Amino acid sequence: KLEGYSTTQAALLEEGAAMVKPGGQLTYVTCSLLRQENEAQIEVFLKNNAGWKLLDYREGLSGNIPKTGASIPETLLLTPGQHGTDGFFVANLIKS
């Protein structure tokens, strides 16, 4: 099942990216703690799509900004153990 989800997520990320004009942003979000569905998707997307850049999730935020549990520091991973939430992953991308 995980392989199927990952394939679907990659396809949705590509489909969404195709609708973004230069200078536009795309936010990739999952309700997962798994690297395969989160950081790995972003790494592959950036490798295969020149002209896209990862934005820091802290950009534009103030106050009590949560520390990420993700292996990519610009992305946000919220975890039950660290944040007292369900698992959530967020990556903000911008098309140049």
Side-chain angles (χ1 to χ4, degrees):
K1 280 189 174 185
L2 179 57
E3 192 64 40
Y5 293 148
S6 295
T7 299
T8 299
Q9 289 162 330
L12 289 170
L13 187 52
E14 292 288 342
E15 185 178 328
M19 296 183 212
V20 178
K21 66 181 181 178
Q25 295 184 21
L26 177 67
T27 301
Y28 175 76
V29 181
T30 71
C31 299
S32 173
L33 298 171
L34 301 177
R35 187 176 199 297
Q36 184 175 345
E37 293 183 281
N38 299 330
E39 294 99 313
Q41 291 286 353
I42 297 305
E43 290 166 349
V44 169
F45 176 81
L46 291 172
K47 179 181 174 187
N48 294 335
N49 292 277
W52 283 89
K53 179 181 145 187
L54 187 59
L55 298 173
D56 194 309
Y57 77 94
R58 296 165 284 214
E59 203 169 296
L61 298 178
S62 62
N64 187 17
I65 301 171
K67 183 177 178 186
T68 187
S71 61
I72 301 174
E74 297 85 3
T75 63
L76 177 61
L77 177 65
L78 299 174
T79 68
Q82 187 175 356
H83 304 96
T85 65
D86 289 342
F88 296 102
F89 176 82
V90 180
N92 294 311
L93 301 153
I94 187 166
K95 185 176 184 179
S96 56

